[in-house]
């Protein structure tokens, strides 16, 4: 009898069992995994590149042994010889299943590539970069007054620009003399000023007057996506922005899965460090190409990241972050050279990494604090950076509290039956008619609603492929408002809800949002397991916020700021109906966009803000949710929609939430009731 083996795909999380010898491309197609191929599986197009993962994946309950895929073959070797293939990658049409295997589909192999939504916000930033350009005229050498070329260059910077105690990076000595002579003893110097009290450093020279510019990169290194903004250091403007999926996602979608991977696989931390650094270097190369600039003109970079990403990016084993008391190797800010992190930009480029706040409240939360400044607020503001790991700040001029909450990847569309990352074709906005119970929706890449003229023509290129995080949030909230879903999270039957869109699905029900299965298209449903996944995520988020409110001694906040790429796309009403955030008037809920990325840009463009955030972080009071008894109590209550204990009075005064209960013990025979005890 043929033994079937488990094949699990990331980042989608889709899995299935397949016979030994099944091509990975075939498995992907049968599971509906987004793996590209245009050559019919002949190993010609290379669109189906995949990255197999080996070792123990505790989150997925699978251990992958060497030999889980077929041996490297001549077709793959021929392609590698002719066009090159990233080390460790295989062709999905050639590699076949030989055992249980975890397969990562890199972004470039996905038909519907993710739209990285961490755009650059418009900010009013004081222009004070750490690296600046200075044009100087240098005295020529004189036998009667002997001195080195460097000493005369340094003297010129002092007399002409009042820069004292200037030093030069070693690489300047190797190139300085021919540049001085080529420029006729006039040069433009790029000088790095790290901090007040430190000596300036010459990092680059151009002969004569250099009329171009130099650049810096502000990077938000998230657990799911990496977003970077290329900034002109002479004007402060964002020249180009881009992002990519964090290559570490194949080792686990949430942070603790990656910590577990490092714990259970010798060298696993180094593997993940290498993956994220390679991804970072590729992103810098891509943005430079998009902006049509020489990558060596990038002379400064600022990074923000959560503590696990912080350690893995720096090459530090995150073992201690996986267990109490969650000790960081360092919580201080760091000033490094880019080459120390294997980032191939200017040889003397500097890197600044913002300080971390606590073991699970990282430099990204510090960047949010820098961008949103809750410590300068007159009213009490709750700032929530929504992501795989949510960072939460609560405060005003009196004090600021901070915590993190492990929401998991459900908000990103993972662990959802029809879920996917934000990509063209993904449903992102939903409305359900409370009378007919029929939905209408919008998909990424099209501004029209599905019931508007021209919609189907407009989406021909992408089709409808699934539902992303903001879409599933709105769908569940709309189901609650239209009486399809009760407060406990149960979907009613067709009889109970009055619509045949509610179909029996095992022992519970699912809501059919879109069904093109008759023509070979997808069937997009919202299932009860989907709702459970979102309930767990939103309960973790709300519980963290409620815990900070307890510590502050308040039962309400004045306003809420939703930060993060995902937070920017959440409707305040739907977030409130779901019970993700505390009860406040809708107009008091605002979006800050990618506040962590904005904080990184502030620190890049205005170096004085680096000292400011270092001071602010020392004043923030850190709350560790893992050791707070009340967190679990809040979590249980927050599992209700919107909440089983907090009244949400302001919400209920504005939005009618039907008083329905579908836990009837199977009263209508629809399969949605209690499980019968076996005898």
């Amino acid at each position: 009898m043929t033994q079937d083996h488990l094949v699990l795909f990331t980042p989608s999380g889709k899995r299935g069992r397949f016979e030994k010898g099944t091509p990975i491309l075939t498995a992907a197609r049968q599971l509906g995994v987004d793996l590209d191929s245009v050559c019919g599986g002949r190993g010609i197009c290379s669109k189906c590149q995949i990255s197999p993962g080996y070792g123990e994946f505790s989150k997925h309950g699978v251990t992958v042994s060497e030999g889980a895929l077929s041996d490297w073959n001549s077709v793959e070797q021929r392609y590698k010889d002719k066009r090159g293939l990233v080390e460790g990658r295989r062709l999905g049409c050639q590699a076949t299943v030989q055992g249980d295997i975890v397969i990562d589909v890199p972004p470039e192999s996905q038909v519907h590539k993710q739209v990285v939504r961490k755009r650059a916000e418009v900010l009013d930033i004081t222009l004070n970069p750490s690296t600046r350009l200075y044009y100087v005229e240098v005295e020529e050498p004189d036998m009667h007054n002997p001195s080195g070329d460097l000493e005369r260059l340094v003297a010129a910077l002092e007399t002409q620009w009042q820069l004292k105690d200037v030093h030069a990076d070693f690489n300047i000595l190797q190139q300085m003399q021919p540049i001085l002579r080529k420029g006729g003893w006039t040069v433009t110097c790029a000088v790095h000023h790290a901090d007040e009290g430190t000596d300036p450093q010459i990092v680059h020279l151009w002969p004569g007057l250099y009329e171009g510019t130099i650049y810096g990169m502000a990077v938000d290194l998230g657990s799911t996506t990496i977003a970077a903004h290329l900034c002109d250091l002479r004007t402060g403007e964002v020249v180009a922005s881009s992002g990519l999926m964090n290559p570490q996602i194949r080792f686990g979608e949430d942070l603790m899965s990656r910590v577990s991977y490092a714990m259970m696989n010798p060298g696993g931390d180094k593997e993940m460090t290498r993956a994220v650094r390679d991804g970072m270097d590729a992103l810098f190369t891509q943005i430079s190409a998009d902006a049509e600039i020489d990558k060596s003109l990038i002379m400064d970079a600022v990074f923000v990241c959560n503590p696990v990403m912080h350690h893995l990016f720096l090459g530090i084993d995150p073992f201690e972050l996986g267990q109490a008391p969650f000790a960081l190797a360092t919580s201080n800010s760091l000033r490094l050279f880019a080459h120390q992190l294997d980032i191939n930009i200017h040889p003397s480029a500097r890197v600044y990494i913002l300080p971390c706040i606590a073991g699970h409240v990282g430099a990204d939360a510090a960047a949010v604090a820098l961008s949103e400044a809750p410590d300068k607020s007159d009213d009490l503001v709750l700032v929530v950076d929504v992501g795989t790991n949510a960072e939460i700040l609560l405060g005003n001029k009196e004090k600021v509290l901070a915590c993190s909450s492990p929401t998991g990847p459900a908000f990103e569309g993972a662990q959802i039956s029809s879920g996917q990352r934000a990509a063209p074709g993904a449903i992102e906005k939903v409305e359900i008619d409370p009378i007919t119970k029929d939905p209408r929706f919008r998909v990424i890449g099209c501004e029209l609603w599905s019931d508007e003229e021209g919609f189907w023509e407009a989406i021909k290129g992408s089709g409808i492929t699934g539902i992303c995080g903001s879409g599933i949030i709105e769908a569940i909230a709309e189901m609650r408002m239209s009486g399809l879903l009760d407060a406990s999270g149960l979907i009613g039957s067709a009889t109970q809800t009055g619509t045949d869109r509610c179909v029996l699905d095992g022992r519970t029900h699912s809501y059919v949002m879109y069904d093109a299965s008759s023509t070979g298209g997808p069937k997009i449903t919202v299932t009860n397991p989907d709702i459970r996944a979102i309930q767990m995520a939103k309960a973790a988020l709300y519980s963290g916020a409620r815990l900070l409110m307890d510590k502050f001694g308040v039962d309400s906040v004045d306003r809420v700021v939703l930060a993060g790429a995902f937070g920017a796309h959440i409707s305040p009403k739907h977030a409130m109906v779901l019970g993700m955030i505390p009860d406040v008037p809708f107009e008091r809920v605002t979006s800050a966009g990618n506040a962590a990325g904005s904080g990184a840009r502030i620190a890049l463009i205005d170096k004085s803000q680096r000292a400011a955030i270092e001071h602010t972080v020392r004043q923030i009071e850190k709350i560790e949710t893992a050791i707070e008894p009340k967190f679990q109590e809040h979590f249980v209550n927050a599992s209700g929609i919107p909440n089983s204990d907090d009244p949400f009075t302001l919400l209920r005064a504005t939005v009618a939430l039907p008083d329905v209960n579908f836990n009837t013990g199977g009263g209508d025979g629809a399969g949605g009731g209690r499980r019968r005890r076996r005898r």
Side-chain angles (χ1 to χ4, degrees):
M1 183 175 177
T2 305
Q3 181 182 2
D4 288 345
H5 299 290
L6 176 68
V7 181
L8 188 148
F9 289 92
T10 63
S12 67
K14 293 180 178 178
R15 62 172 72 199
R17 291 196 167 272
F18 296 89
E19 290 185 5
K20 182 177 181 180
T22 302
I24 294 299
L25 180 59
T26 301
R29 284 173 170 168
Q30 290 184 17
L31 291 174
V33 171
D34 198 11
L35 179 58
D36 204 357
S37 177
V38 297
C39 71
R42 292 176 293 163
I44 298 172
C45 73
S46 83
K47 299 288 188 184
C48 64
Q49 292 182 31
I50 50 100
S51 295
Y54 298 95
E56 186 170 347
F57 296 84
S58 56
K59 176 189 172 182
H60 302 302
V62 60
T63 300
V64 180
S65 306
E66 295 293 334
L69 286 184
S70 57
D71 293 338
W72 180 264
N73 67 20
S74 58
V75 174
E76 293 170 300
Q77 187 61 50
R78 184 176 71 243
Y79 181 84
K80 183 175 184 179
D81 293 341
K82 285 188 174 182
R83 299 190 188 176
L85 200 61
V86 175
E87 194 64 34
R89 284 196 184 169
R90 301 288 304 274
L91 296 183
C93 62
Q94 301 299 311
T96 63
V97 176
Q98 303 295 316
D100 293 351
I101 183 71
V102 174
I103 298 291
D104 181 61
V105 181
E108 57 268 34
S109 297
Q110 297 171 23
V111 182
H112 305 96
K113 295 179 178 61
Q114 179 176 11
V115 178
V116 177
R117 296 175 147 189
K118 295 184 176 181
R119 62 186 175 87
E121 307 298 325
V122 177
L123 298 174
D124 184 14
I125 308 174
T126 301
L127 186 60
N128 182 24
S130 63
T131 305
R132 295 187 176 201
L133 299 181
Y134 299 90
Y135 172 76
V136 292
E137 297 175 354
V138 182
E139 287 187 10
E140 297 186 33
D142 184 348
M143 291 183 65
H144 300 289
N145 184 21
S147 64
D149 286 351
L150 177 61
E151 285 69 31
R152 280 179 280 105
L153 172 59
V154 167
L157 284 165
E158 182 170 357
T159 56
Q160 295 168 41
W161 290 99
Q162 291 74 55
L163 296 181
K164 297 183 181 297
D165 301 317
V166 177
H167 295 265
D169 285 357
F170 178 66
N171 70 298
I172 294 297
L173 287 176
Q174 298 170 316
Q175 56 178 286
M176 174 187 61
Q177 290 189 305
I179 291 174
L180 280 169
R181 285 152 180 82
K182 183 178 179 181
W185 301 99
T186 64
V187 290
T188 303
C189 308
V191 179
H192 179 77
H193 311 251
D195 297 290
E196 299 298 328
T198 60
D199 294 334
Q201 299 280 326
I202 303 171
V203 297
H204 195 84
L205 294 174
W206 291 267
L209 175 63
Y210 172 63
E211 296 185 276
T213 190
I214 55 175
Y215 299 91
M217 198 78 84
V219 185
D220 177 10
L221 170 52
S223 50
T224 303
T225 58
I226 307 172
H229 306 296
L230 179 70
C231 300
D232 185 327
L233 293 183
R234 297 187 75 173
T235 66
E237 294 178 359
V238 176
V239 177
S241 297
S242 189
L244 50 71
M245 297 285 291
N246 188 332
Q248 289 180 346
I249 205 162
R250 67 177 182 268
F251 303 103
E253 289 177 325
D254 59 86
L255 297 174
M256 286 302 102
S257 293
R258 294 181 207 176
V259 174
S260 296
Y261 184 86
M263 288 177 171
M264 297 176 181
N265 297 278
D269 59 312
K270 293 180 175 59
E271 204 178 345
M272 287 186 282
T273 294
R274 189 163 53 251
V276 74
R277 288 184 178 182
D278 287 348
M280 193 71 70
D281 195 51
L283 179 57
F284 276 42
T285 300
Q286 176 201 324
I287 294 181
S288 301
D290 291 345
E292 299 181 340
I293 69 156
D294 186 333
K295 197 163 64 161
S296 67
L297 289 173
I298 303 173
M299 298 188 183
D300 202 2
V302 171
F303 290 88
V304 301
C305 41
N306 61 58
V308 173
M309 289 298 96
H310 175 278
H311 278 37
L312 288 172
F313 184 45
L314 291 171
I316 301 169
D317 189 335
F319 177 85
E320 294 298 338
L321 294 175
Q323 56 189 355
F326 313 112
L328 288 154
T330 178
S331 58
N332 288 336
S333 59
L334 293 170
R335 292 161 175 81
L336 307 167
F337 284 92
H339 65 75
Q340 292 176 286
L341 300 171
D342 300 327
I343 300 171
N344 182 26
I345 47 178
H346 189 278
S348 293
R350 299 318 206 258
V351 164
Y352 176 77
I353 300 178
L354 268 70
C356 292
I357 296 176
H360 283 297
V361 188
D364 48 357
V368 171
L370 178 57
S371 174
E372 294 306 305
D375 57 311
K376 297 179 176 64
S377 176
D378 290 317
D379 54 6
L380 185 60
V381 57
L382 180 76
V383 185
V384 184
D385 192 354
V386 188
T388 308
N389 193 65
E391 283 82 24
I392 307 169
L393 301 168
L394 176 67
N396 54 22
K397 287 179 177 178
E398 178 188 336
K399 63 179 176 180
V400 177
L401 308 180
C403 74
S404 71
S405 208
T407 51
F411 287 153
E412 304 280 354
Q415 299 177 342
I416 305 300
S417 59
S418 297
Q420 66 167 82
R421 307 283 179 199
I427 294 172
E428 64 169 342
K429 299 192 80 60
V430 178
E431 290 181 358
I432 297 176
D433 188 302
I435 306 300
T436 66
K437 316 297 185 186
D438 289 335
R440 71 177 196 143
F441 47 80
R442 275 174 43 184
V443 301
I444 295 174
C446 178
E447 293 300 312
L448 298 172
W449 287 86
S450 57
D451 59 353
E452 291 182 319
E453 186 177 348
F455 172 80
W456 299 101
E457 184 68 28
I459 65 160
K460 269 187 177 178
S462 65
I464 297 175
T465 55
I467 187 165
C468 69
S470 61
I472 194 70
I473 292 293
E474 294 200 3
I476 294 173
E478 287 283 328
M479 289 171 68
R480 180 74 182 91
M481 288 188 287
S482 59
L484 298 168
L485 184 72
D486 69 14
S488 72
L490 276 177
I491 301 172
S493 67
T495 303
Q496 292 168 322
T497 61
T499 175
D500 57 7
R501 286 183 176 272
C502 292
V503 297
L504 189 62
D505 189 357
R507 301 189 66 84
T508 56
H509 295 88
S510 295
Y511 176 73
V512 180
M513 185 170 298
Y514 172 73
D515 188 1
S517 55
S518 61
T519 57
K523 182 177 182 178
I524 297 172
T525 60
V526 179
T527 69
N528 256 119
D530 294 342
I531 291 167
R532 288 286 177 263
I534 293 295
Q535 280 178 289
M536 295 302 100
K538 73 96 178 180
L541 184 65
Y542 183 83
S543 303
R546 197 68 186 79
L547 187 63
L548 293 188
M549 291 163 66
D550 290 347
K551 295 291 182 181
F552 217 98
V554 297
D555 289 319
S556 63
V557 300
D558 296 317
R559 59 188 176 95
V560 175
V561 177
L562 295 172
F566 179 66
H569 290 81
I570 303 174
S571 142
K573 181 175 81 169
H574 293 102
M576 203 84 68
V577 169
L578 203 62
M580 289 176 62
I581 54 178
D583 191 27
V584 297
F586 295 152
E587 65 272 14
R588 303 289 286 170
V589 182
T590 57
S591 168
N594 181 19
S598 296
R601 283 171 52 217
I602 292 169
L604 175 70
I605 301 302
D606 182 1
K607 67 184 176 71
S608 69
Q609 294 297 324
R610 301 180 185 185
I613 192 57
E614 289 165 16
H615 172 76
T616 299
V617 162
R618 288 192 290 270
Q619 309 306 312
I620 293 175
E621 184 180 340
K622 303 89 178 174
I623 307 299
E624 182 51 68
T625 58
I627 59 173
E628 291 289 342
K630 287 281 285 184
F631 182 83
Q632 192 59 36
E633 180 185 331
H634 288 314
F635 186 91
V636 172
N637 293 332
S639 298
I641 303 175
N643 196 288
S644 61
D645 186 58
D646 293 350
F648 278 77
T649 307
L650 294 171
L651 170 69
R652 292 178 186 275
T654 309
V655 177
L657 298 178
D659 185 15
V660 293
N661 180 4
F662 300 132
N663 187 16
T664 60
D668 67 357
R674 298 189 188 96
R675 183 172 298 184
R676 184 174 296 169
R677 181 175 297 178
R678 295 188 178 184
R679 298 184 182 277

